[in-house]
Amino acid sequence: MEGELKPMDAEQLREYGHKMVDFIADYYKNIDNFPVLSQVQPGYLRKLLPETAPAHSETLQEVLEDVQTKILPGVTHWQSPDYFAYFPSNSSVAGFLGEMLSAGINMVGFSWITSPAATELEMIVLDWLAKALKLPDEFLSTGQGGGVIQGTASEAVLVVLLAARDKVLRRVGKDAIGKLVVYCSDQTHSALQKACQIGGIHPENFRMLKAVSCRDYALSPDALSEAVSHDLATGLIPFFFCATIGTTSSTAVDPLLALGKITKSNSMWFHVDAAYAGSACICPEFRHYIDGVEEADSFNMNAHKWFLTNFDCSALWVKDRSALIQSLSTNPEYLKNKASQGNLVVDYKDWQIPLGRRFRSLKLWMVLRLYGLEKLQAYIRNHIELARRFEELVAQDQRFEIVTPRKFSLVCFRLRPPQSNEDYANKLNHDLLDAVNSTGKLFISHTVLSNRYILRFAVGAPLTEERHILAAWKVFQDEAATLLSKC
């Protein structure tokens, strides 16, 4: 059997599938034993693998041995309990089972007729999640809007930017594209800048407005209002604004209600990026962070970040699905069918960039059913409590300082320099990050806020417990002591 693997055979799938599940289960069981951040050098793998593909089949055992000895050393272990970098990328048993089922069915659900269950389950499960977030009814599929699963928040912001662009150009004429202006905070994810590059927005018309520390890096409505007024006075056309709930650098929260009123009075598309922090808003005590979302035209959160749903699963809701469809729809003869031609169904191919799409709603559906909202809320609260505990430890050590208030499960902090020299402070914290990550015991990332090099400690891996927080803090203390002894 090993040497005669067929393209698809139910009994072989059963046999090999069991072996692969065992391998993955053992990986999770032993994940603590790996250096969190891969310690290999660039180009390491080319030296270990053949230059050409094998002419004859090899055994699964041979392949898994190579995974163990050659691939895993080059993996940075995002699911490690000691992973505290960037933002989490959650995995779970429920998400894994949903992903497995999706891979097993292996359909390409670009239109309703290609698999009716895929389209209809996606509509239902995103309505469920919208209700859990208490989004306005306009975002539900029962009205003029609805939800769609994109691959990433980068895709989500691109499709709504294109919809907004085409909507305004239909009104003012396509030759006016050089006058269209996009606004955001300087804390907004770079995905918006890339979307503008793809969407033909002139680089000089991309406005990154400064967010300051006295507002905890949230964007001031006055800054947006002044920028829009100035551009209108010079004959430009403000058309798109992106606010963020939980910025990448510091999880700052933009004031949606005040910003939304400015966009509405100027007929601008208002997009809310809650890729990371949106998950927390299923908890009643954190829902207030998206107060004002009723002013938005679109809203996005990544279930694959902090909602126990394996990558990729980025939920996007819009109030007016026709804006997406008018911008992104194509209707070649070979895709025509009775249900689509009769406008009886949703065809998600017209809500996204690619034609093809996977059955991603299965894993989100299974996460919601196998855990339920109460357990998901408890899961998020636990991470926030662990982050609070880490923040408390940092605050108790006079060698360190908290840089900006913690709102969710990200702690922004830094090592104080022996003398008040910002350049030296930045180097010291850069060296501390390198020293900590080089231990292999944990992995963190950094940012820059107000020209200061800041360490980011993001709690959110599914296996993280308090003992991992305490062990991580011990590493910081030890490495800081070593660095300061050299000053």
Side-chain angles (χ1 to χ4, degrees), residues 152-167:
T152 65
S154 302
E155 293 173 43
V157 74
L158 174 59
V159 297
V160 296
L161 179 86
L162 297 177
R165 178 201 67 183
D166 292 350
K167 184 176 181 180

Side-chain angles (χ1 to χ4, degrees), residues 64-117:
L64 291 181
E65 286 174 2
D66 275 355
V67 171
Q68 191 72 48
T69 60
K70 299 172 183 176
I71 303 300
L72 289 183
V75 169
T76 290
H77 300 278
W78 285 65
Q79 304 309 313
S80 168
D82 298 303
Y83 181 96
F84 303 107
Y86 309 114
F87 280 133
S89 179
N90 275 185
S91 183
S92 69
V93 174
F96 180 81
L97 294 174
E99 192 75 75
M100 185 188 297
L101 184 56
S102 176
I105 295 173
N106 198 31
M107 43 72 68
V108 186
F110 48 81
S111 60
W112 179 87
I113 199 170
T114 59
S115 274

Side-chain angles (χ1 to χ4, degrees), residues 444-459:
I444 63 163
S445 55
H446 78 283
T447 190
V448 173
L449 292 168
S450 301
N451 298 314
R452 296 185 296 172
Y453 191 97
I454 307 300
L455 306 180
R456 297 171 71 263
F457 188 86
V459 182

Side-chain angles (χ1 to χ4, degrees), residues 102-413:
S102 176
I105 295 173
N106 198 31
M107 43 72 68
V108 186
F110 48 81
S111 60
W112 179 87
I113 199 170
T114 59
S115 274
T119 295
E120 297 192 14
L121 183 62
E122 189 159 333
M123 295 170 71
I124 291 165
V125 79
L126 287 182
D127 281 353
W128 283 7
L129 189 50
K131 291 172 183 177
L133 291 164
K134 294 182 169 57
L135 296 184
D137 287 348
E138 295 99 311
F139 285 120
L140 300 179
S141 64
T142 49
Q144 299 303 307
V148 55
I149 298 176
Q150 305 285 345
T152 65
S154 302
E155 293 173 43
V157 74
L158 174 59
V159 297
V160 296
L161 179 86
L162 297 177
R165 178 201 67 183
D166 292 350
K167 184 176 181 180
V168 72
L169 290 179
R170 284 193 294 272
R171 177 168 53 86
V172 300
K174 62 181 180 180
D175 293 336
I177 192 168
K179 296 182 177 181
L180 301 187
V181 188
V182 173
Y183 304 82
C184 66
S185 155
D186 63 358
Q187 300 298 302
T188 302
H189 196 279
S190 60
L192 178 59
Q193 182 177 2
K194 180 177 281 191
C196 289
Q197 292 170 200
I198 296 170
I201 305 304
H202 290 202
E204 63 270 22
N205 290 346
F206 176 58
R207 306 272 184 268
M208 286 197 298
L209 309 176
K210 189 172 181 59
V212 293
S213 60
C214 64
R215 292 182 59 89
D216 296 335
Y217 298 100
L219 182 62
S220 163
D222 289 342
L224 177 62
S225 184
E226 290 169 12
V228 169
S229 296
H230 177 269
D231 286 334
L232 284 170
T234 57
L236 296 174
I237 305 172
F239 87 103
F240 189 92
F241 170 67
C242 178
T244 307
I245 304 299
T247 58
T248 300
S249 282
S250 66
T251 64
V253 174
D254 290 333
L256 300 188
L257 187 61
L259 294 166
K261 291 187 182 303
I262 296 167
T263 61
K264 183 173 286 187
S265 64
N266 290 282
S267 301
M268 299 165 62
W269 186 291
F270 181 24
H271 178 63
V272 176
D273 175 3
Y276 159 70
S279 296
C281 296
I282 67 164
C283 301
E285 67 268 32
F286 300 114
R287 171 58 176 76
H288 67 92
Y289 284 118
I290 58 171
D291 285 352
V293 70
E294 61 272 14
E295 302 289 337
D297 296 284
S298 51
F299 178 87
N300 169 236
M301 66 156 277
N302 284 352
H304 61 242
K305 273 193 168 66
W306 200 16
F307 207 71
L308 287 176
T309 308
N310 302 49
F311 187 84
D312 56 356
C313 187
S314 184
L316 169 68
W317 292 269
V318 293
K319 282 183 176 175
D320 177 17
R321 60 177 174 259
S322 69
L324 282 184
I325 294 168
Q326 288 182 66
S327 182
L328 302 171
S329 176
T330 56
N331 192 29
E333 185 63 36
Y334 49 80
L335 295 183
K336 291 180 180 178
N337 62 84
K338 189 174 181 180
S340 298
Q341 298 304 105
N343 292 318
L344 303 173
V345 295
V346 163
D347 287 333
Y348 276 128
K349 70 179 179 64
D350 300 329
W351 297 43
Q352 62 176 28
I353 301 302
L355 173 66
R357 60 198 329 268
R358 298 187 300 116
F359 199 170
R360 288 179 292 216
S361 58
L362 265 179
K363 58 189 173 186
L364 182 55
W365 183 57
M366 292 186 75
V367 164
L368 286 166
R369 292 192 63 189
L370 292 177
Y371 298 123
L373 290 174
E374 289 184 358
K375 284 186 179 178
L376 288 164
Q377 289 167 342
Y379 174 77
I380 288 164
R381 287 170 179 144
N382 177 58
H383 283 149
I384 291 172
E385 176 58 26
L386 291 176
R388 187 203 63 76
R389 178 75 175 108
F390 183 82
E391 180 185 44
E392 184 180 70
L393 294 169
V394 174
Q396 290 170 356
D397 190 327
Q398 294 185 352
R399 298 173 300 175
F400 292 85
E401 64 177 329
I402 301 295
V403 175
T404 189
R406 178 194 53 77
K407 290 182 173 64
F408 303 102
S409 66
L410 172 71
V411 180
C412 291
F413 69 109

Side-chain angles (χ1 to χ4, degrees), residues 25-39 68 72-73 75-77 79-83 439-442 463 467-468:
D26 286 341
Y27 166 71
Y28 275 95
K29 188 175 182 179
N30 299 303
I31 199 169
D32 271 355
N33 298 329
F34 294 99
V36 186
L37 177 64
S38 173
Q39 305 294 304
Q68 191 72 48
L72 289 183
V75 169
T76 290
H77 300 278
Q79 304 309 313
S80 168
D82 298 303
Y83 181 96
T439 67
K441 295 176 181 177
L442 68 147
L463 296 172
R467 61 189 176 92
H468 300 105

